[in-house]
């Protein structure tokens, strides 16, 4: 890679707003994760009886997880819309619009009537707002990560995008803490309060995001007249291989999470290995560790590259698949905590930490939002229906079915990591060192 190619990563030393942009993007990621992942927790613990009552708990759980999957299925469309607008009108407008849309949909969930009140209209309304959530979340990631990436210094892309990626475990922690408190309220308030409370976070996020400046890379593309008429079509035509590889990379992380965290919540509850409070405590501990872990993994990629971390992490996840279930099956609370922490902070957070810088670097600046968003969000369809599929596998094969599915996802990620080019190898790091030394640093980051 030439030094000219590196310039499409933004200013050598980053912009004076790099830290503020990363934090602002990260705060938005916190809010949208709180909203989106909170639905997963509620689906595992409450929605089966509230919206899909029946004599068979497994049927209710399946219906609840199917609704969870609908939101993930909508994410690619959100990614297409958000990526297109991000490449056409800018990264910042997408950030603000997606946050407003997510906030309204999540607040609405807290107001929905249950099946007992309005019958089949209840699950229909739940599916509708879940689709809106999926569209908003699909549009969110591309704008947030690219804003941080393109404002950051060349040598610290992992560090700054890691702040955004760490917003996801923060959101997970806040969502589970809220559910941990609300579980004591009993009845419908146990799941309504967390969704209604999210409106406060949305208001704070909008204030912060409205003040961040547009990406310098997008401004450069716009000023040069290099705006693509149809970014989605262009990136599919010229970069479809990277999109396919990106999907494989992402499946290991997001679908793996769907087995080891989203499904595991339900598994612990239905198999009476842990009660709701214990499960939420374990998730809160894992989320807290995951905040620091994500940023640490992301920084590590600045030193060793994006690809090596991914290879080692996916290989470990594949080996951990069966021990993960053997540990929780002991029913020991400490074993459950350790398992969930490893599943999240190592198997998932290491991959998320690498993705923040690796995905933008795989695509040209003029189609970067579309390419990165498309690869990132198409894989969400797989992860969205994974808890549903995992439940069916458990019914047929016991815990070995979910374990082998988790291992399969890890192996897909390992294949994709081996097949994908390194974008921050030794040569790129040397060129960045030369550019950093030879270019005056006129900004403070």
């Amino acid at each position: 890679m030439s030094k000219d190619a590196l310039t499409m990563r933004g200013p050598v030393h980053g912009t004076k707003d790099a830290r503020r942009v990363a934090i602002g993007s990260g705060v938005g990621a916190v809010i949208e994760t709180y909203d989106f992942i909170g639905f997963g927790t509620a689906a595992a613990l409450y929605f089966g009886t509230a919206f899909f009552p029946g004599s068979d708990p497994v049927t209710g759980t399946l219906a609840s997880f199917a609704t969870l999957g609908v939101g993930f299925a909508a994410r690619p469309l959100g990614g297409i819309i958000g990526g297109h607008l991000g490449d056409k009108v800018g990264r910042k407008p997408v950030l603000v619009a997606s946050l407003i849309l997510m906030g309204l949909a999540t607040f609405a969930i807290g107001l929905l009537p249950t099946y007992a009140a309005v019958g089949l209209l209840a699950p229909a309304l739940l599916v509708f707002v879940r689709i809106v959530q999926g569209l908003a979340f699909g549009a969110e990631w591309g704008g947030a990560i690219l804003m941080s990436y393109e404002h950051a210094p060349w040598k610290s892309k992992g560090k700054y995008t890691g702040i955004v990626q760490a917003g996801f475990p923060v959101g997970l922690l806040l969502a589970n803490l809220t559910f941990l408190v609300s579980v004591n309220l009993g009845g419908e308030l146990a799941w309504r309060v967390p969704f209604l409370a999210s409106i406060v976070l949305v208001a704070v996020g909008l204030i912060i995001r409205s003040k961040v400046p547009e990406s310098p890379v997008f401004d450069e593309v716009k000023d040069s007249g290099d705006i693509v008429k149809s970014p989605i079509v262009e990136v599919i035509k010229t970069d479809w291989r990277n999109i396919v590889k990106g999907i494989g990379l992402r499946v290991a992380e997001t679908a793996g999470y769907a087995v080891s965290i989203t499904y595991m919540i339900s598994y612990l509850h239905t198999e009476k290995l842990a009660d709701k409070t214990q499960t939420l405590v374990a998730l809160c501990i894992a989320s807290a560790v995951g905040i620091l872990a994500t940023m640490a993994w992301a920084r590590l990629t600045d030193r060793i590259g994006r690809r090596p971390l991914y290879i080692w992490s996916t290989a470990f996840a594949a080996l951990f698949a069966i021990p993960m279930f053997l540990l929780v099956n002991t029913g020991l609370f400490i074993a459950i905590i350790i398992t969930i922490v490893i599943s999240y902070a190592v198997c998932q957070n290491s991959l998320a930490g690498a993705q923040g810088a690796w995905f933008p670097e795989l695509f040209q600046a003029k189609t970067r939002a579309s390419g990165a968003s498309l690869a990132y969000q198409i894989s969400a369809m797989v992860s969205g229906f994974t808890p549903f599929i995992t439940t069916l596998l458990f019914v047929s094969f016991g815990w070995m079915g979910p374990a082998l599915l988790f291992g399969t996802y890890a192996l897909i990620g390992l294949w994709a990591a081996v097949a994908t080019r390194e974008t921050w190898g030794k040569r790129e790091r040397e060129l960045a060192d030369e550019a950093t030394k030879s270019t005056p640093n006129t900004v403070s980051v």
Side-chain angles (χ1 to χ4, degrees), residues 207-226:
I207 292 172
I208 294 174
R209 280 199 167 177
S210 64
K211 296 180 179 180
V212 300
E214 182 56 87
S215 159
V217 175
F218 175 78
D219 284 339
E220 184 177 341
V221 171
K222 183 174 66 175
D223 292 342
S224 67
D226 206 19

Side-chain angles (χ1 to χ4, degrees), residues 365-378:
K366 61 183 180 181
T367 56
R368 183 174 286 160
S370 298
S373 295
L374 205 56
Y376 197 85
Q377 300 302 347
I378 286 178

Side-chain angles (χ1 to χ4, degrees), residues 14-15 17 75 94 100 135 151 157 205 233 238 260 310 312 328 338 363 369 390 411 443:
T15 69
D17 299 300
R75 282 174 59 172
V94 175
I100 293 173
L135 292 172
H151 275 275
K157 297 294 186 183
V233 174
T238 62
S260 63
Y310 230 93
W312 284 108
V328 298
I338 291 172
F363 301 95
T390 308
L411 290 175
V443 299

Side-chain angles (χ1 to χ4, degrees), residues 61-95:
T61 300
L62 282 170
S64 184
F65 279 154
T67 305
L68 173 71
V70 167
F72 282 87
R75 282 174 59 172
L77 179 57
I80 290 172
I81 296 171
H84 175 83
L85 293 175
D87 285 326
K88 293 283 285 187
V89 302
R91 325 298 196 202
K92 181 179 175 179
V94 175
L95 286 183

Side-chain angles (χ1 to χ4, degrees), residues 283-370:
L283 281 172
C284 288
I285 293 172
S287 303
V289 175
I291 297 168
L292 298 177
T294 300
M295 292 191 287
W297 291 121
R299 287 190 179 207
L300 182 61
T301 68
D302 285 331
R303 296 176 54 192
I304 68 172
R306 326 301 184 197
R307 192 164 172 262
L309 176 60
Y310 230 93
I311 289 174
W312 284 108
S313 295
T314 50
F316 173 80
L319 295 173
F320 186 63
I322 292 177
M324 177 172 68
F325 279 88
L326 289 175
L327 284 168
V328 298
N329 285 342
T330 64
L332 297 174
F333 186 42
I334 185 64
I336 291 171
I337 292 175
I338 291 172
T339 302
I340 293 179
V341 168
I342 293 174
S343 301
Y344 190 58
V346 179
C347 299
Q348 197 267 348
N349 292 151
S350 60
L351 306 184
Q355 287 168 11
W358 202 6
F359 275 46
E361 288 167 353
L362 292 174
F363 301 95
Q364 302 177 64
K366 61 183 180 181
T367 56
R368 183 174 286 160
S370 298

Side-chain angles (χ1 to χ4, degrees), residues 156-404:
S156 304
K157 297 294 186 183
K159 171 185 174 182
Y160 283 86
T161 56
I163 295 174
V164 181
Q165 295 293 73
F168 296 99
V170 173
L172 181 64
L173 175 61
L174 289 178
N176 286 313
L177 282 175
T178 306
F179 275 101
L180 186 61
V181 173
S182 70
V183 73
N184 299 310
L185 298 176
E188 292 183 6
L189 288 177
W191 61 265
R192 290 189 185 277
V193 168
F195 292 110
L196 295 174
S198 72
I199 200 69
V200 178
L201 295 175
V202 172
V204 173
L206 283 174
I207 292 172
I208 294 174
R209 280 199 167 177
S210 64
K211 296 180 179 180
V212 300
E214 182 56 87
S215 159
V217 175
F218 175 78
D219 284 339
E220 184 177 341
V221 171
K222 183 174 66 175
D223 292 342
S224 67
D226 206 19
I227 298 291
V228 179
K229 182 179 180 180
S230 181
I232 290 292
V233 174
E234 178 72 16
V235 77
I236 291 175
K237 185 187 299 182
T238 62
D239 247 342
W240 64 269
R241 290 179 179 83
N242 279 330
I243 293 174
V244 171
K245 292 171 186 175
I247 292 170
L249 292 171
R250 174 86 166 120
V251 158
E253 179 252 320
T254 188
Y257 172 92
V259 176
S260 63
I261 301 296
T262 304
Y263 171 75
M264 188 64 77
I265 297 173
S266 176
Y267 178 75
L268 293 172
H269 178 59
T270 57
E271 295 302 301
K272 295 180 172 51
L273 296 169
D275 60 31
K276 290 180 180 178
T277 299
Q278 289 176 320
T279 301
L280 289 170
V281 167
L283 281 172
C284 288
I285 293 172
S287 303
V289 175
I291 297 168
L292 298 177
T294 300
M295 292 191 287
W297 291 121
R299 287 190 179 207
L300 182 61
T301 68
D302 285 331
R303 296 176 54 192
I304 68 172
R306 326 301 184 197
R307 192 164 172 262
L309 176 60
Y310 230 93
I311 289 174
W312 284 108
S313 295
T314 50
F316 173 80
L319 295 173
F320 186 63
I322 292 177
M324 177 172 68
F325 279 88
L326 289 175
L327 284 168
V328 298
N329 285 342
T330 64
L332 297 174
F333 186 42
I334 185 64
I336 291 171
I337 292 175
I338 291 172
T339 302
I340 293 179
V341 168
I342 293 174
S343 301
Y344 190 58
V346 179
C347 299
Q348 197 267 348
N349 292 151
S350 60
L351 306 184
Q355 287 168 11
W358 202 6
F359 275 46
E361 288 167 353
L362 292 174
F363 301 95
Q364 302 177 64
K366 61 183 180 181
T367 56
R368 183 174 286 160
S370 298
S373 295
L374 205 56
Y376 197 85
Q377 300 302 347
I378 286 178
S379 59
M381 290 191 296
V382 180
S383 63
F385 289 101
T386 288
F388 180 88
I389 296 169
T390 308
T391 303
L392 291 178
L393 287 173
F394 174 74
V395 171
S396 300
F397 305 104
W399 64 264
M400 184 62 76
L404 293 177

